[in-house]
Amino acid sequence: MRAGLRVLRGLRPWRLLPSPTGTPFTFGYAVILLLTSLFAEYGDPTLVSSLHQGSSTDVAHLADRPMFVLVASALWIAGGITSPYAIVFLLVLTALERRVGGLRTAGVFLLGHAVATLATEVPVGLSVLAGHLPGSSAYRLDYGISFGVAASVGALAGLLTPWLRWAVLAGFGWMLLQDLIAFTDPMTNWGHLLALVVGVATWPVLRGGRGRGAAA
């Protein structure tokens, strides 16, 4: 009984969420996403639509200003703050940053976001050039944080105990496979799986930097 009480006293549930001192990257990014989500919900619909279009990592925008849209597209949450990816973002990036620090966490997120975006959009561009897809496919609306979140899940799994690591990968991977089987948005669904693999590929680098994260 006393041992159980000591365990309960040792639990710090607030560490599951970001803080300005303990996880500054995740906290700052979360604030930005909250603001853009509120604007998307309550702002002028025409302006919101225009900003989404301007931030889209579609083929046309990637060919014209790739760096800008790769960053701008990650400032919005597809589906808003009620999206499951918003919750996963808070929990996973907080845990990852506490283990490896803000710089590596940002690197994992951006790497997954960029690689998965390019890997899904470049084939679309080539298909449009070859005449296999209509020109309108080059303007497919594409924005959000899901690729970066998927990569972060893959990266975090490598820092967990073996049984929890494979449970996380199996559970999240199965969810992504179900989305792919549903075939509602196959390009994005393939991108999620690829981003998860990108996160797993960062294990050697992250394990070398474990313990350098924030402690607060």
Side-chain angles (χ1 to χ4, degrees):
M1 182 67 176
R2 290 179 180 177
L5 290 174
R6 283 197 297 270
V7 171
L8 289 175
R9 292 193 191 102
L11 292 177
R12 291 179 288 177
W14 59 86
R15 285 177 61 84
L16 296 175
L17 298 176
S19 67
T21 55
T23 55
F25 168 71
T26 305
F27 183 84
Y29 197 177
V31 170
I32 292 173
L33 291 173
L34 175 62
L35 293 176
T36 57
S37 296
L38 290 174
F39 178 76
E41 181 70 23
Y42 300 107
D44 178 68
T46 302
L47 178 57
V48 170
S49 177
S50 177
L51 290 174
H52 282 166
Q53 290 288 345
S55 303
S56 174
T57 48
D58 53 52
V59 172
H61 282 133
L62 285 172
D64 181 45
R65 43 181 182 172
M67 295 304 296
F68 173 80
V69 292
L70 281 172
V71 173
S73 63
L75 300 180
W76 306 91
I77 303 177
I81 55 178
T82 59
S83 166
Y85 279 99
I87 299 173
V88 178
F89 169 90
L90 286 176
L91 298 177
V92 170
L93 266 74
T94 297
L96 185 60
E97 186 171 356
R98 289 194 186 280
R99 286 165 173 79
V100 301
L103 187 60
R104 284 183 173 84
T105 300
V108 168
F109 186 95
L110 293 174
L111 181 65
H113 177 68
V115 170
T117 296
L118 294 174
T120 52
E121 293 295 342
V122 168
V124 173
L126 294 176
S127 296
V128 170
L129 289 176
H132 300 311
L133 287 175
S136 59
S137 297
Y139 297 91
R140 186 179 75 99
L141 189 63
D142 186 17
Y143 64 88
I145 61 171
S146 58
F147 289 164
V149 170
S152 300
V153 171
L156 177 63
L159 305 176
L160 303 175
T161 56
W163 71 269
L164 186 56
R165 174 187 312 150
W166 300 115
V168 168
L169 288 177
F172 192 74
W174 176 244
M175 182 190 74
L176 298 183
L177 284 174
Q178 286 184 311
D179 290 341
L180 184 60
I181 293 171
F183 212 69
T184 53
D185 190 355
M187 292 299 292
T188 298
N189 298 146
W190 276 116
H192 289 151
L193 286 170
L194 177 58
L196 182 65
V197 173
V198 169
V200 171
T202 66
W203 286 2
V205 176
L206 296 182
R207 284 169 175 170
R210 192 173 184 177
R212 300 177 190 174

